[in-house]
Amino acid sequence: MVFVAKTKTPNEWKIVAQTIQSLVEEASFEGTAEGITFRAMDPSHVALIDLTWPNAGFEKYDCDKQHKLTVRVEDFVKLLRRAGPKDSVTIQAGDDDMLTLKFQNGYKREFQIHLIESTYSPTPLPKLSFDSKMVLKESAFEEILNDVQTISDHITLEATKDKIIFTGKSDSGSASIPIEKGNDALESMEVGKESKATYSLQYLLNIVKAAGGATEKVVCEYSSKMPLKMEFALGETGGRINFYLAPRIEEK
Amino acid sequence: MSTSVQDAFKDFNIPAELCLACKAVRRLCGRPQCPILVKAEAIYKVKPLISSTLFSGSSPPGVFVGKLGYPKVSIGPLVPPITGSTEIFDLPEGWLGKSFDDIVGYRYKLIRGRSKVDINEAKNPGKLLSTLQELAMSPKHIDAELVLERRPDERLILSDESQPFGPSAPLKQFKPSSISTDKRVERAYYDKDLTASEAVFALFKDGVEVSRLQKAFSLGMFGSKDKRKIVPTRWSITAVDSNVSLQLIERIKHHETISKFRVFYFANLDNRFAIILAPELWRYEMQEAWFPNTTWNVNEQEPAIEGDFETYFGRTTYAKIHGSYYAARLAIAERLNSIRRQASALVLREIHPGYILPIGVWNIRETVRAALAKKPSQHETFKQAFVAALSNLTIREKDWKKKSHMLKEWSMQSRLKDYI
């Protein structure tokens, strides 16, 4: 039984672990010959992360059969923080319920943590079709979220044929940020049907801050009063972090 | 808040002219019972008994650790001038259903000797601390002699966290009769490899009352030897509530969630508690509404609502509403763990003017325990559950919703499972 995955730097692992840490306490990575996947919903069942990291994204990848590697995310993040920016990272598992992390840049450092028994049950993906799709510059999107957060704890996305408007409202006031087609912040936009939905900023900011570090753009897809899907690229070989967020609903 | 009858006006923040016009008859301050009279009567009853410097009586057993002067704090025993079964005087677990008169009466009778020690003395206890530690290990009252430097002052210490503490004076001598100890507590005391939190949790599981754990914890009786410290009573109450509930929550997270919304209700001392348990993973919130003319809302015309919450992942800061948050969390976590279920919990507490004195968070712990011991109403939806919870409360739906994170979430946030 072998599982070995090596990356040139710790960047991608750090992003993956921090993204997961914003939603769950323990993470079950599935290792197969094709690569690593991970899927989990947050305890409130409001958000979901779906990670795909194909074997081509690794400098070395070896997996003889399906491995389920469950770790306490906090422990995992703590170890990864010890990796320097130029350290290569090798993650390894065998038959002994331990996960080995090796960092190397000059000399080698090796850590082992206990794998734990997973308490999460399989998570199906929501069945969705999307009316609107935008590709936003990651840094601009993060700014927009921060802007609206000064006023509200939720954000409304309203997409029309030629622009998207981000708004926030609370007892203290309102914020409105319209971005038109052709603006640098908005790389592309397709609107099949005008769409309007509201989402929790706390979730959005957590995820964009964590996963956004991996990429310069974010793909957002949604329909009116339906969940939002965001896609962040992980590396340049097809890896991606997909994030789903249930909408807030107007009170009846 | 510490007071004698003379400065009661100041303490209760009631204009003197109002009291003069009322004289405890017309209820002009809006409270159904005069807080000044409750205290005055307790002092009056105990006064003939405390006009001395020498006391003999039965300690419930009781101890107190002050926080003034920290890290040099006052420690001392509590001894009433009464012999016999005095356990109830220092056992909040037995106070549910008792009146303010009863509780203040118990507390005023407990005369407290005080002596200054450094909190680090717990690493190597001197004679007084050792004696008090032994006293705190006793499961029942201990006859004792208390000699004070002077006659005790007629003060009652009131706080939100701790139960009231009564007359005190510097301690000259404390001589208990032979003490038979609770072997469970004694074992934890001598086990210097156990951490304080392991010791407290093991004893809690063994059925030692929370109030007794708090006493022992305050005297620095648990933990590895070089880490033991004396902890002021007020802090030790919340420390034990917080610590035990955290360990219970870790267990709860492994249990199945409940299947329907459950709503519980209980009222005690003009405090009303409605509790909603939701069929979701662990989360917790407590909101408190202090009505006008209650201790922490004297000058406003409207109820003041304040609260705090934690997600599944817990919290890293001290809760805005202090000890009451942790006392209710302990009662909830204890119940969920005993039925081996997981849930999200929201506690809504209304403090009406009949709650005339702050008497400690035991009231919250015991009232929430009592509420959860009753049969709940069960509901399919959050909406139904909230309507049921509101039926026993006076604060309006929109005012709770304005403050409560979980109420906002439940009414506004959809779940991904709705789209799967």
Side-chain angles (χ1 to χ4, degrees):
Chain A
M1 172 166 161
V2 186
F3 175 86
V4 184
K6 184 180 178 186
T7 51
K8 260 191 197 149
T9 71
N11 291 351
E12 286 154 347
W13 272 118
K14 281 186 180 182
I15 283 160
V16 165
Q18 278 163 15
T19 306
I20 292 171
Q21 194 182 26
S22 71
L23 279 207
V24 289
E25 266 184 335
E26 51 191 67
S28 282
F29 294 100
E30 292 271 351
T32 62
E34 286 76 43
I36 297 174
T37 57
F38 166 85
R39 187 186 293 172
M41 242 194 253
D42 84 306
S44 310
H45 295 181
V46 172
L48 182 151
I49 290 180
D50 186 37
L51 165 85
T52 312
W53 197 353
N55 54 21
F58 297 89
E59 192 180 56
K60 182 181 169 199
Y61 187 86
D62 195 359
C63 181
D64 59 348
K65 64 179 182 86
Q66 191 168 338
H67 287 260
K68 190 167 199 171
L69 308 169
T70 308
V71 289
R72 278 180 48 82
V73 184
E74 196 185 338
D75 297 345
F76 193 53
V77 168
K78 228 189 260 173
L79 285 188
L80 284 169
R81 279 208 191 108
R82 296 303 310 145
K86 290 183 180 161
D87 286 356
S88 69
V89 176
T90 307
I91 293 192
Q92 212 171 318
D95 291 318
D96 58 354
D97 287 338
M98 300 296 285
L99 188 75
T100 306
L101 277 81
K102 290 179 191 166
F103 304 146
Q104 189 161 10
N105 178 23
Y107 58 95
K108 194 188 282 178
R109 292 180 287 155
E110 189 170 316
F111 302 87
Q112 284 201 315
I113 49 171
H114 285 279
L115 290 168
I116 57 172
E117 209 166 298
S118 166
T119 56
Y120 289 111
S121 43
T123 312
L125 283 182
K127 292 187 184 76
L128 303 167
S129 61
F130 301 107
D131 292 334
S132 294
K133 179 179 180 178
M134 283 102 40
V135 181
L136 287 150
K137 213 166 148 188
E138 194 280 329
S139 57
F141 189 42
E142 201 173 321
E143 282 297 298
I144 291 166
L145 298 178
N146 278 318
D147 284 344
V148 176
Q149 202 199 20
T150 57
I151 295 286
S152 178
D153 58 4
H154 48 274
I155 185 166
T156 302
L157 278 59
E158 197 174 350
T160 56
K161 293 282 172 215
D162 52 0
K163 67 177 169 204
I164 165 125
I165 312 176
F166 299 92
T167 53
K169 224 172 40 183
S170 71
D171 288 348
S172 68
S174 66
S176 170
I177 303 161
I179 312 255
E180 292 178 8
K181 247 184 185 170
N183 188 293
D184 280 354
L186 187 60
E187 193 173 289
S188 70
M189 186 163 105
E190 295 156 39
V191 178
K193 192 172 160 196
E194 292 190 354
S195 313
K196 186 176 177 182
T198 303
Y199 303 98
S200 154
L201 269 172
Q202 189 199 335
Y203 281 98
L204 280 174
L205 270 165
N206 277 346
I207 210 77
V208 169
K209 278 181 183 160
T215 174
E216 287 180 359
K217 57 189 182 185
V218 189
V219 184
C220 296
E221 292 176 277
Y222 77 111
S223 305
S224 285
K225 296 182 181 171
M226 293 296 282
L228 171 73
K229 180 189 171 196
M230 295 196 292
E231 185 179 317
F232 303 85
L234 181 69
E236 284 148 17
T237 45
R240 59 184 159 70
I241 301 170
N242 283 347
F243 176 75
Y244 295 83
L245 180 62
R248 288 171 65 98
I249 40 175
E250 292 303 316
E251 233 177 318
K252 287 163 201 130
Chain B
M1 198 187 264
S2 129
T3 181
S4 66
V5 174
Q6 284 80 0
D7 51 29
F9 296 114
K10 197 176 68 204
D11 256 9
F12 293 115
N13 219 341
I14 306 167
E17 56 276 19
L18 213 59
C19 291
L20 286 173
C22 170
K23 296 190 177 127
V25 178
R26 295 166 59 193
R27 299 179 186 173
L28 292 182
C29 68
R31 296 171 171 86
Q33 193 179 8
C34 172
I36 296 169
L37 264 198
V38 169
K39 293 179 71 178
E41 277 170 15
I43 293 174
Y44 177 76
K45 278 186 205 152
V46 82
K47 199 161 183 171
L49 301 173
I50 64 170
S51 313
S52 167
T53 55
L54 176 67
F55 299 92
S56 70
S58 307
S59 181
V63 296
F64 179 78
V65 179
K67 73 181 171 87
L68 270 183
Y70 191 88
K72 291 238 185 303
V73 294
S74 287
I75 62 168
L78 308 179
V79 182
I82 294 166
T83 311
S85 302
T86 55
E87 285 82 357
I88 190 70
F89 292 10
D90 203 36
L91 192 70
E93 282 82 356
W95 293 351
L96 195 76
K98 302 281 183 204
S99 67
F100 282 101
D101 290 329
D102 293 334
I103 294 159
V104 172
Y106 297 151
R107 305 307 292 176
Y108 248 132
K109 290 191 194 82
L110 289 173
I111 295 153
R112 175 162 58 92
R114 25 175 236 263
S115 179
K116 282 269 180 194
V117 294
D118 189 283
I119 53 151
N120 287 306
E121 204 191 291
K123 296 176 178 62
N124 194 8
K127 189 168 167 245
L128 174 64
L129 182 57
S130 296
T131 310
L132 293 178
Q133 289 178 331
E134 212 180 326
L135 185 72
M137 284 190 238
S138 171
K140 54 183 202 313
H141 70 270
I142 296 293
D143 294 341
E145 252 183 44
L146 183 69
V147 187
L148 302 176
E149 299 275 0
R150 52 178 162 77
R151 282 171 46 190
D153 53 30
E154 299 159 9
R155 295 174 84 82
L156 183 65
I157 299 176
L158 296 172
S159 107
D160 245 12
E161 264 83 27
S162 69
Q163 51 273 39
F165 282 90
S168 76
L171 179 68
K172 201 168 186 180
Q173 203 179 29
F174 173 59
K175 273 202 295 195
S177 61
S178 72
I179 297 173
S180 68
T181 57
D182 181 331
K183 295 297 168 231
R184 298 169 296 180
V185 184
E186 192 177 356
R187 265 198 303 275
Y189 175 71
Y190 285 111
D191 189 339
K192 296 190 172 158
D193 295 327
L194 273 186
T195 65
S197 107
E198 286 166 346
V200 165
F201 194 60
L203 291 171
F204 172 81
K205 280 192 296 177
D206 273 352
V208 178
E209 292 90 343
V210 171
S211 68
R212 289 179 55 212
L213 291 175
Q214 289 164 339
K215 272 180 251 184
F217 187 88
S218 76
L219 293 172
M221 289 167 62
F222 305 130
S224 57
K225 197 176 175 218
D226 56 336
K227 286 196 175 146
R228 291 190 179 190
K229 255 186 222 165
I230 296 172
V231 180
T233 297
R234 256 183 226 193
W235 303 347
S236 76
I237 290 173
T238 297
V240 170
D241 279 338
S242 171
N243 203 300
V244 171
S245 54
L246 276 182
Q247 299 189 62
L248 289 169
I249 291 163
E250 281 316 306
R251 292 166 175 238
I252 291 168
K253 287 179 177 177
H254 295 285
H255 300 321
E256 294 284 317
T257 55
I258 56 174
S259 54
K260 287 180 180 173
F261 283 89
R262 298 182 188 181
V263 177
F264 302 83
Y265 177 76
F266 203 85
N268 186 43
L269 297 171
D270 220 8
N271 275 242
R272 302 181 195 177
F273 286 84
I275 299 151
I276 302 177
L277 297 184
E280 295 169 2
L281 297 189
W282 168 258
R283 265 191 308 167
Y284 166 67
E285 172 166 346
M286 182 179 188
Q287 292 289 337
E288 297 185 320
W290 289 85
F291 276 68
N293 290 317
T294 52
T295 316
W296 310 122
N297 186 11
V298 179
N299 299 318
E300 300 294 326
Q301 299 302 310
E302 290 292 319
I305 307 177
E306 191 59 86
D308 215 333
F309 78 98
E310 64 189 58
T311 66
Y312 184 83
F313 307 113
R315 59 180 311 118
T316 51
T317 55
Y318 188 55
K320 270 190 252 167
I321 50 170
H322 312 282
S324 50
Y325 179 92
Y326 301 96
R329 190 175 76 177
L330 172 62
I332 304 251
E334 174 186 71
R335 185 68 190 172
L336 284 173
N337 193 52
S338 80
I339 59 169
R340 303 183 61 77
R341 283 288 175 275
Q342 177 164 200
S344 291
L346 171 65
V347 178
L348 301 174
R349 175 191 181 202
E350 286 185 353
I351 305 104
H352 289 262
Y355 188 66
I356 55 170
L357 298 168
I359 46 169
V361 296
W362 67 269
N363 176 39
I364 291 157
R365 195 182 315 111
E366 295 310 322
T367 312
V368 175
R369 278 174 164 173
L372 296 174
K374 285 184 22 183
K375 200 171 179 317
S377 61
Q378 303 222 31
H379 309 273
E380 294 294 336
T381 66
F382 155 69
K383 231 175 184 175
Q384 294 163 346
F386 192 33
V387 167
L390 286 171
S391 68
N392 289 305
L393 300 174
T394 32
I395 298 286
R396 287 163 303 181
E397 178 178 343
K398 72 171 173 53
D399 293 327
W400 286 123
K401 274 192 181 163
K402 216 183 269 176
K403 282 285 182 180
S404 163
H405 176 83
M406 268 163 62
L407 287 175
K408 271 187 228 160
E409 284 285 305
W410 277 327
S411 50
M412 311 265 295
Q413 179 64 57
S414 66
R415 318 269 150 182
L416 284 175
K417 61 175 189 238
D418 303 336
Y419 305 93
I420 286 171

